[in-house]
Amino acid sequence: MMTMSNAYIDDFPAEAKVIRAAFYSSFFALALGGVFGVIQTLHRTGYYRFIDSADYYTVLTAHGVFLVISFTIFFLVGIFTWAVTTSLDRGVEDLRFTWGWYGLMAIGITLSGVAILAGFTDATDISASVLFTFYAPLQGHPMFYLGLVLFVVGTWLAGVDWFRSWWAWKGENPDERIPLPTFMVLTTMLMWYIATLGVAAAILLFLLPWSLGWIETVNPLLTRTLFWFFGHPVVYFWLMPAYMMWYVLLPKVSGGKLFSDPLARVVFVLFLILSVPTGIHHQYLDPGIAEGFKFIAMTNTMFLLLPSLLTAFTVVASMEHGARQRGGTGYFGWLKALPWRDPVFTGMALAGLMFAAAGFSGMVNAGMNINYLVHNTFWVVGHFHLTVGTAVALTFMAVTYWFLPQVTGKALWSRSVALGQVVLWFVGMTFMSNAMHRAGLLGVPRRTAEPQYDGFEFEAAVGSIGELQAQIALGGILLTLSLVLFFANVIGTGLNGRSDDLPANEYAGTLSGPEDAPLVLDNLKLWTAIAIVLVIFAYTFPLLSIVDRGGLFGPELNPFPVSIESVTLLAFAVEHLAVGALESLSLPGLLEVIR
Amino acid sequence: MSRLTEEPAQRQEIDHDEYDPIGTLALIGLYFLILAFLWVFMYFVEFLGNEPTVVGGFVTVVGVL
């Protein structure tokens, strides 16, 4: 037993402070998002409606943005900072720069958050009830878009920070392989840089100028497509940090080693390459994009199953290694030898199990023909509550029980409460998400305050709508209780005194290490180049065709020439001049061709 | 109580060459069977239960809207 603590905060006290700030920002967003979540669950199931149905969409926007933008991304910048500093064993290059990007993210999300929340009051005319996807013609206050821009720029600078660390490290260790956690951070950030170009273009070129009144219209299909250029890879921005936890932390808490470092690198390279050229699979039902382009997006999406299935194998094999080292035997008996009383382990394992279920509903979403059956139904909401709402969120909450002591130097308030919390989340999500999927199959729409219609009843082959609503409301309440337990633990831990008896800041060793991984895997320039080429293939023609049909700023806007007559006049004048010029050059053959 | 994760009660050290992840094969195999079953089951849930999609069927129209 150690008497001297060797936790993260002991080695990197200044960085631990930044990570704490990121975590607390993340948890604040989680608390807000959770409150809005239970309000909307009770509202749309009809159990308790205390808000106006028009405000439901403000609640929905807040739930979405606070959870999938601020909760997830603040948390992941925290663990990425941990990953880079721990695996390179060096502090950040310039702490002011680190605080700078954190500050920019915080200011940005505050602006966006205030713009959203102001939608609840008539005291100002500020609002941004545009939902997470902010599709035009829904228009938010400029502050909403500006805040998002600052937030994303903050994440870009965070990436610069981690690349600086790596470059400095590489200068001192020219012949070493990139340590796995850093490799994962760098590939994820490269993917993120490519992905966010879409949302940056959508906001800076179109939505923000439009919201400010500088341009009158936008082409909604163009901004939607640019949104999904970012909107699909952003799910990997949430998921890849969760994967990182499954690769570098889960094997360790299972009592084993990571099965294969090379496979882990392959997975992250595949995500870098394949995440972005898939966004159009969210637009299978959008008119104005040819079926062929959608088919290409579907093909790329199906390839994306590959890294997830590789992960399933590698992660399970690593857990099994731990179980066998702990004395587990048999085909399935080894599962009993896993440390199920450890909330860090159990939370991550249950998150992984839910992700396996989400794999099926994801394949349904990804298939062009089957997607038509579930598009814009509650099924989709069920799907992403399994992915970002459980695979990512539950993993993040579970690893919090490991990270919080590392970055605060304080012992966890209660392991038992933590264990109860992760199990409760799993149970609550099982009720809620399963019922959402089934409701979607009946055609119950998503994003609807009152999904009930005069003269029409949804018919269930098995069970009833009432039963599904009850499961969804029950699930929502269990999830809220789980959040209460989570925050009790975070606050209780914060109130604890410093502990000298914390686990050392270590991540999992490997059975097959980086020395077995081909060197080309670490060639980040090559993979980035391939990723860009695939994006060009997947998006150039769809974007050109959208602009060609609908105009860069929408079909209505013809800034110059201003009228049909002037177009005809102008065309006549140009043709006359051109013909004159060609005739004077006496090129009759060419003239015929042009005519 | 103050330890954050259980020190794994490791009984033996299993290295790369000794380790045979047969349990992983069993578990992933089971997952594959479930997926295959669900994929087949989906045909009965969706295609036999509803009218042709997109071009007809009120339930689907509500879903699309």
Side-chain angles (χ1 to χ4, degrees), chain A residues 13-190:
Chain A
E15 286 80 1
K17 203 170 170 187
V18 183
I19 297 175
R20 277 205 303 278
F23 280 176
Y24 291 144
S25 308
S26 162
F27 299 153
F28 179 59
L30 178 61
L32 283 176
V35 169
F36 291 122
V38 73
I39 291 173
Q40 76 190 74
T41 305
L42 296 176
H43 189 94
R44 71 164 282 155
T45 52
Y47 279 92
Y48 185 53
R49 289 179 172 168
F50 71 94
I51 54 164
D52 189 60
S53 278
D55 285 335
Y56 176 87
Y57 301 94
T58 310
V59 171
L60 185 52
T61 307
H63 177 69
V65 172
F66 289 151
L67 290 183
V68 303
I69 298 293
S70 17
F71 160 58
T72 49
I73 297 181
F74 268 122
F75 195 87
L76 75 88
V77 296
I79 54 177
F80 276 8
T81 303
W82 166 84
V84 170
T85 48
T86 298
S87 67
L88 300 181
D89 197 22
R90 65 183 297 138
V92 297
E93 298 309 301
D94 180 354
L95 200 64
R96 284 167 307 173
F97 185 76
T98 307
W99 278 110
W101 59 250
Y102 166 77
L104 203 54
M105 287 174 67
I107 292 168
I109 203 65
T110 305
L111 291 177
S112 294
V114 167
I116 294 168
L117 295 177
F120 287 116
T121 165
D122 294 329
T124 67
D125 55 3
I126 298 174
S127 77
S129 305
V130 290
L131 311 186
F132 161 61
T133 46
F134 49 87
Y135 289 153
L138 295 178
Q139 192 183 53
H141 189 271
M143 194 161 80
F144 170 76
Y145 301 109
L146 187 67
L148 286 182
V149 169
L150 295 180
F151 184 81
V152 169
V153 171
T155 63
W156 287 350
L157 296 178
V160 170
D161 203 4
W162 303 320
F163 268 94
R164 282 177 71 185
S165 285
W166 173 56
W167 287 323
W169 177 87
K170 198 165 69 163
E172 294 165 18
N173 303 272
D175 300 321
E176 299 247 354
R177 298 300 293 263
I178 310 173
L180 185 62
T182 298
F183 180 84
M184 291 168 160
V185 170
L186 300 181
T187 43
T188 305
M189 290 315 293
L190 288 170

Side-chain angles (χ1 to χ4, degrees), chain A residues 401-423:
Chain A
Y401 299 132
W402 188 83
F403 275 109
L404 212 48
Q406 291 292 327
V407 296
T408 59
K410 298 167 178 179
L412 189 69
W413 177 61
S414 168
R415 272 178 61 119
S416 314
V417 169
L419 187 59
Q421 186 267 318
V422 295
V423 173

Side-chain angles (χ1 to χ4, degrees), chain A residues 317 320-321 325 356 441 501, chain B residues 3 11 14 19 23-24 31 46:
Chain A
E320 188 191 349
H321 181 250
Q325 290 202 141
L441 289 179
D501 183 28
Chain B
R3 302 292 296 181
R11 293 193 196 164
I14 301 175
Y19 176 45
T24 301
Y31 178 55
E46 283 305 328

Side-chain angles (χ1 to χ4, degrees), chain A residues 385-585:
Chain A
H385 277 85
L386 290 182
T387 51
V388 66
T390 305
V392 175
L394 185 54
T395 297
F396 284 1
M397 289 189 277
V399 299
T400 297
Y401 299 132
W402 188 83
F403 275 109
L404 212 48
Q406 291 292 327
V407 296
T408 59
K410 298 167 178 179
L412 189 69
W413 177 61
S414 168
R415 272 178 61 119
S416 314
V417 169
L419 187 59
Q421 186 267 318
V422 295
V423 173
L424 200 55
W425 189 272
F426 179 80
V427 174
M429 200 55 92
T430 304
F431 278 113
M432 192 173 91
S433 176
N434 181 46
M436 282 172 167
H437 278 96
R438 283 178 52 208
L441 289 179
L442 308 179
V444 174
R446 65 186 288 198
R447 293 177 159 167
T448 306
E450 299 174 16
Q452 62 226 27
Y453 306 93
D454 285 337
F456 172 77
E457 299 260 345
F458 294 106
E459 284 172 29
V462 180
S464 68
I465 282 288
E467 168 248 317
L468 293 175
Q469 305 278 44
Q471 282 198 48
I472 291 166
L474 172 67
I477 288 167
L478 294 181
L479 291 167
T480 309
L481 285 177
S482 175
L483 279 184
V484 170
L485 297 182
F486 178 76
F487 291 117
N489 231 333
V490 170
I491 294 167
T493 305
L495 296 176
N496 269 346
R498 277 295 290 259
S499 166
D500 287 334
D501 183 28
L502 296 172
N505 176 37
E506 287 169 347
Y507 57 92
T510 53
L511 278 176
S512 167
E515 65 281 358
D516 297 332
L519 266 176
V520 67
L521 283 175
D522 287 13
N523 188 343
L524 298 179
K525 283 182 188 144
L526 172 68
W527 305 122
T528 308
I530 293 176
I532 291 170
V533 167
L534 285 181
V535 169
I536 291 171
F537 280 159
Y539 269 104
T540 307
F541 288 109
L543 286 175
L544 283 178
S545 115
I546 289 165
V547 171
D548 191 43
R549 288 173 58 138
L552 202 54
F553 295 99
E556 280 99 324
L557 196 69
N558 287 314
F560 177 83
V562 287
S563 69
I564 299 296
E565 286 88 331
S566 58
V567 175
T568 323
L569 260 174
L570 194 71
F572 180 77
V574 170
E575 191 188 355
H576 185 75
L577 281 173
V579 168
L582 286 169
E583 274 171 349
S584 69
L585 288 170

Side-chain angles (χ1 to χ4, degrees), chain A residues 1-2 252-253 255 257 259 285 309 312-313 316-317 320-321 324-327 331-332 334-335 339 341-342 344 356-357 359-360 363-364 370 372-373 375-377 401-402 405 411-415 441-443 445 453 456 458 501-503 511-512, chain B residues 1-32 34-42 45-47 49-55 58-65:
Chain A
M1 203 45 121
M2 284 178 302
K252 183 175 139 61
V253 297
K257 289 179 173 173
F259 183 70
L285 279 184
L309 293 174
F313 170 77
V316 173
E320 188 191 349
H321 181 250
R324 302 247 179 240
Q325 290 202 141
R326 291 161 61 93
Y331 284 105
F332 295 104
W334 57 273
L335 288 165
R341 291 185 170 280
D342 181 349
V344 182
F360 174 72
M363 288 179 214
V364 170
I370 322 169
Y372 291 172
L373 299 166
H375 202 95
N376 275 343
T377 69
Y401 299 132
W402 188 83
L412 189 69
W413 177 61
S414 168
R415 272 178 61 119
L441 289 179
L442 308 179
Y453 306 93
F456 172 77
F458 294 106
D501 183 28
L502 296 172
L511 278 176
S512 167
Chain B
M1 167 62 214
S2 63
R3 302 292 296 181
L4 273 313
T5 51
E6 266 169 21
E7 282 300 296
Q10 189 178 323
R11 293 193 196 164
Q12 51 180 332
E13 182 83 32
I14 301 175
D15 72 20
H16 182 268
D17 295 335
E18 289 170 288
Y19 176 45
D20 178 22
I22 189 74
T24 301
L25 181 67
L27 212 57
I28 300 282
L30 185 67
Y31 178 55
F32 175 76
I34 292 171
L35 277 188
F37 167 75
L38 284 172
W39 198 252
V40 173
F41 182 62
M42 184 176 64
V45 170
E46 283 305 328
F47 292 100
N50 291 324
E51 307 245 323
T53 319
V54 180
V55 287
F58 188 63
V59 172
T60 329
V61 172
V62 170
V64 169
L65 292 176

